Amino acid sequence: MQDNLDGHVDGALRGVVPPLPLARGELSDRDAAELHALKQLVRLRIGLDFEGYKEPCLRRRIAVRMRARGLHSYSAYADLLERDPDEYQRLLDAVTINVSKFFRNNEVWDAIRAHVLPALFALGEPVVRMWSAGCAGGEEPYTLAMQLIEYAEANGLARELPRFEILGTDLDARSLLTAQRGEYTDFAFTETPAWARERFFTGNRVRDEVRRLVKFERMDLLNDPYPPGRHLVLCRNVIIYFARSVQVSLFERFHDALSPGGYLVLGKVETLFGTGLPLFRSVAGRERIFVRQQ
Ligand SMILES: C[S@@+](CC[C@H](N)C(=O)[O-])C[C@H]1O[C@@H](n2cnc3c(N)ncnc32)[C@H](O)[C@@H]1O
């Protein structure tokens, strides 16, 4: 699978900096051992499992931090982390790419409106539980809330809205603070349709009627238990950073977190494979919308 997102970010970096040391190519035995020790240190200190991430992508991101601190070996960088623990947050920021937008990939939201929302509103459940896994600054779960409100109003279903719960989770606590504040820079709006900008924002701030529908929690998708009984899981532009074996185990865990007939939406450059395939049926192939098989 093409690592488009990371390629995009690296492309931006490539314009201003020469190739980074240790960013690509074969590692010497010594560098490989030092990288392994660095991963262990990060796991020990902040509980983050770097083994789960794709190594080339991880090495490029670590190299960006090493360059910023003028260091040329993983062991020197590990020493720095111990001397200056604030560097852990900067490393985390470099590895977890928190780029998101409201209504990212409009056509996916159109497909969710066409294929998923009617089924969710038709559910007889007292509570309909939705989860945006890897929600960055909250743009995705808020977009879902906006779509729900718009759909409900257009179909005379507004009284049903209190049944809907949206959970947004992310590893990065700082992104979750942005989500809770609900105020954004102009970048977040470059894919927002005019009707939504008008209806759901005051300036660059999400209106309270939208914010009320969404709760945020910190969660590590690699290590924490998943919230059960979901009717919709959005996990877009997150698994692309994980090793393939980890991606497959996530498909299994999403399957278990979903109620029978629940929906899974992946990012446009992500897809199911391996033992994940028989667990779901495709509903909208190009938009990566799947439904849980029984
Ligand atoms: C590129 S953003 C995607 C945001 C949103 N889903 C979208 O498509 O616009 C990737 C997000 O995944 C989060 N992430 C990375 N590793 C994670 C992990 N192990 N557990 C939970 N979230 C993680 C990052 O913090 C980041 O906010």
Side-chain angles (χ1 to χ4, degrees):
M1 191 192 311
Q2 175 64 33
D3 197 340
N4 287 341
L5 280 167
D6 191 53
H8 174 74
V9 176
D10 277 353
L13 288 170
R14 257 200 303 278
V16 289
V17 293
L20 299 160
L22 304 177
R24 352 187 159 252
E26 281 284 301
L27 288 180
S28 69
D29 288 350
R30 180 184 168 154
D31 288 334
E34 288 186 8
L35 176 59
H36 181 69
L38 176 64
K39 289 179 182 173
Q40 304 279 83
L41 180 70
V42 169
R43 190 186 180 106
L44 185 72
R45 293 288 189 247
I46 61 168
L48 183 59
D49 184 5
F50 272 174
E51 293 294 352
Y53 291 76
K54 282 182 188 156
E55 185 144 317
C57 171
L58 185 67
R59 278 174 51 194
R60 288 197 293 275
R61 308 260 75 87
I62 296 173
V64 168
R65 287 310 309 153
M66 286 170 57
R67 167 191 297 277
R69 305 302 303 257
L71 299 172
H72 302 283
S73 74
Y74 291 124
S75 68
Y77 188 62
D79 289 346
L80 175 88
L81 283 166
E82 289 295 79
R83 280 199 314 278
D84 176 8
D86 288 349
E87 179 64 24
Y88 281 110
Q89 180 63 48
R90 293 184 206 112
L91 176 61
L92 186 67
D93 287 347
V95 171
T96 62
I97 293 156
N98 305 116
V99 178
S100 189
K101 289 176 178 189
F102 293 102
F103 292 87
R104 185 177 194 169
N105 301 124
N106 270 239
E107 65 283 12
V108 175
W109 292 102
D110 291 344
I112 289 173
R113 192 183 193 284
H115 298 290
V116 179
L117 296 190
L120 293 186
F121 274 92
L123 279 177
E125 302 286 336
V127 184
V128 182
R129 295 183 200 85
M130 295 172 284
W131 175 26
S132 164
C135 70
E139 295 88 337
E140 182 177 274
Y142 284 142
T143 301
L144 179 59
M146 292 171 201
Q147 288 279 92
L148 271 181
I149 295 172
E150 188 279 326
Y151 180 88
E153 288 176 348
N155 291 280
L157 295 166
R159 67 185 179 287
E160 305 279 335
L161 283 171
R163 287 198 294 132
F164 288 79
E165 284 181 5
I166 303 174
L167 174 66
T169 68
D170 202 279
L171 176 71
D172 184 30
R174 281 226 296 238
S175 293
L176 294 174
L177 284 179
T178 303
Q180 259 138 5
R181 256 198 321 273
E183 178 127 26
Y184 296 85
T185 60
D186 291 344
F187 175 83
F189 297 101
T190 52
E191 294 187 44
T192 308
W195 64 265
R197 192 82 172 86
E198 172 80 10
R199 168 76 178 80
F200 293 117
F201 294 90
T202 304
N204 282 9
R205 190 178 161 80
V206 179
R207 292 206 181 138
D208 286 348
E209 65 172 311
V210 177
R211 298 176 62 194
R212 263 197 296 277
L213 290 177
V214 188
K215 288 197 174 56
F216 293 100
E217 277 175 26
R218 185 183 177 280
M219 186 189 297
D220 181 353
L221 286 169
L222 302 182
N223 288 309
D224 292 332
Y226 287 7
R230 301 289 117 181
H231 300 99
L232 168 64
V233 174
L234 302 174
C235 187
R236 302 166 63 215
N237 310 307
V238 179
I239 65 166
I240 190 170
Y241 300 113
F242 298 149
R244 281 174 73 84
S245 59
V246 172
Q247 293 187 23
V248 171
S249 77
L250 259 54
F251 300 145
E252 291 166 8
R253 296 185 68 196
F254 287 140
H255 175 269
D256 294 346
L258 282 164
S259 296
Y263 293 87
L264 172 67
V265 184
L266 300 177
K268 292 262 334 214
V269 295
E270 298 161 336
T271 195
L272 292 173
F273 57 87
T275 52
L277 272 175
L279 302 177
F280 297 90
R281 177 170 56 75
S282 175
V283 172
R286 287 166 66 88
E287 287 79 22
R288 306 292 197 251
I289 302 178
F290 305 91
V291 65
R292 187 192 129 140
Q293 301 272 32
Q294 294 308 311

